[in-house]
Amino acid sequence: MSNAKVWAYTFKIQKDLVPSIMSNLLNPDAIFSNNEMSLSDIEIYGFDYDYTLVFYSKHLHTLIFNAARDLLINEHRYPAEIRKYDYDPNFAIRGLHYDVHRALLMKIDAFHYIQLGTVYRGLSVVPDEEVIAMYDGSHVPLEQMSDFYGKSSQGHTMKQFMDIFSLPEMTLLSCVNEYFLKNNIDYEPVHLYKDVKDSIRDVHIKGIMYRAIEADIEKYICYAEQTRAVLAKLAAHGKKMFLITNSPSSFVDRGMKFIVGKDWRDLFDVVIVQAEKPNFFNDKRRPFRKVTERGVLLWDKIHELQKGQIYKQGNLYEFLKLTGWRGSKVLYFGDHIYSDLADLTLKHGWRTGAIIPELRREIKIMNTEQYIQTMTWLQTLTGLLEHMQIHKNPDCQIILNEWKKERKEMREMTRNFFNSQFGSLFRTDQNPTYFLRRLSRFADIYMASLSCLLNYDHDYTFYPRRTPLQHELPMWSDQLCTGTFRIPFLQEMIQIK
């Protein structure tokens, strides 16, 4: 094998591929499909509220972090010195797992393997050797993973943080862990996890977050005009719409008046607040209660869900009985893959749409020339390693070892494009993340925000890309059929000798 020929060939591959990819960039405002779905079949649209109809500014996570930190100090008697820690919006990403007993925050792929280099104790990365020693490798057994809703319960030692509100929780956990470790303070990780979880919960339940947002709504709420445009478009095409949210009535009313207008209820056929999802989808015992304009709960038995009224609690089974909205004619949007979407698609056959705000930023990064060049070379290296490993002579082995080292370095480089600690929300090196695995299972379509719907006709059909399986030839993939990418085949690689 000629070293010069190898490098000449690989350089030619990269030179040919990069311009082709650059001419076929992804649209950050596109809707992506996991399952074929036509909007012409959808008669009823349902929505969550937080991070679905309404988006919040960066100030909200700082508010939640600070309020929960103060609750730890004032109500759980944690050291006042933890006030020196501020919220870092660039530390954590969604979808991470937290080992409650070991106090470790980490990224896990779709096959339950820990991505080495992304395990953090406090604010410091844990060496790979230590991780491998703790877990007897890098695989996390199923019985230790989080339960169906991402929680650590009934023997599960891992908690998965799936919603956007969990970002300040992960950061606060890491900061307090860091304080204890730096000051050599002995503590019980399970108690710390519970106290932080309770403090974050109390920021919501005690109304701290709601009051702060209502007091300065322009500071905390954004993306206003797009939500009204989406709802108006659906209403113009005769679609029925409903809202099911865990947020309280007055908070939702104030926010919707701000982003949609005083007439926002006229757009919705049913409005349900404080639904307590995911229990709403499973618990048949809780009846609906009507909420008056002043927030008073009425005791009347609910025989129908009236347009213009607001209802509290209830359950999905009663909802289906009163509305008759069943099956694949219903499309529900939410940001929490478990609490919003999982039960609906698995048990009730609704179509589901996931709102993933991080998607827009990640696509913009993937569209940069630097990222494309890096990924093209990384994939080229991977292909070379796969096809040239059959050569066992010493010179070839030296080259292969150099390529392996370079490939490892480039993997770390690609991770840093997205987040210095944990990388992309969707990938762990070559594999999909555990987050993406659940997204692919529970969401028919996904997008950065509801505003993406404005780019499509009301009868548009979403087709998932046909990507080749590992045992299939790549000739039927979308990229090759449209002439976008040219992937070298094994026969071409054999010619390099």
Side-chain angles (χ1 to χ4, degrees), residues 139-152:
H139 183 264
V140 180
L142 178 63
E143 61 269 17
Q144 293 180 23
M145 292 291 287
S146 53
D147 67 10
F148 181 77
Y149 295 107
K151 299 178 181 178
S152 60

Side-chain angles (χ1 to χ4, degrees), residues 372-391:
I372 291 171
Q373 287 178 340
T374 302
M375 281 303 302
T376 303
W377 180 236
L378 178 58
Q379 291 302 94
T380 302
L381 271 178
T382 303
L384 286 169
L385 285 167
E386 179 182 3
H387 298 309
M388 306 307 289
Q389 62 184 317
I390 59 174
H391 299 280

Side-chain angles (χ1 to χ4, degrees), residues 431-449:
N431 293 335
T433 58
Y434 194 86
F435 177 92
L436 183 62
R437 173 185 174 183
R438 310 308 272 174
L439 173 66
S440 301
R441 178 64 185 90
F442 299 139
D444 291 295
I445 56 176
Y446 63 99
M447 65 207 77
S449 72

Side-chain angles (χ1 to χ4, degrees), residues 10 130 132 191 222 236 270 292 325 402 412:
T10 53
E130 187 177 342
I132 292 170
H191 297 332
C222 51
V270 178
T292 69
W325 296 343
E402 290 176 354
E412 294 177 359

Side-chain angles (χ1 to χ4, degrees), residues 357-406:
E358 301 94 335
L359 186 63
R360 184 175 281 114
R361 174 180 174 271
E362 291 218 4
I363 290 176
K364 288 180 178 179
I365 291 172
M366 290 189 291
N367 282 344
T368 62
E369 186 172 359
Q370 184 183 8
Y371 178 84
I372 291 171
Q373 287 178 340
T374 302
M375 281 303 302
T376 303
W377 180 236
L378 178 58
Q379 291 302 94
T380 302
L381 271 178
T382 303
L384 286 169
L385 285 167
E386 179 182 3
H387 298 309
M388 306 307 289
Q389 62 184 317
I390 59 174
H391 299 280
K392 302 297 184 182
N393 66 72
D395 290 341
C396 290
Q397 290 301 308
I398 291 173
I399 294 174
L400 287 171
N401 288 332
E402 290 176 354
W403 285 347
K404 288 177 182 178
K405 181 181 178 182
E406 184 176 1

Side-chain angles (χ1 to χ4, degrees), residues 249 253 257 261-269 271 291-293 307-310:
S249 174
D253 184 59
K257 284 178 178 176
K262 293 182 179 180
D263 61 342
W264 71 271
R265 286 196 220 171
D266 295 339
L267 294 169
F268 290 89
D269 295 271
V271 176
V291 184
T292 69
E293 293 286 344
K307 186 170 184 175
Q309 300 297 321
I310 295 181

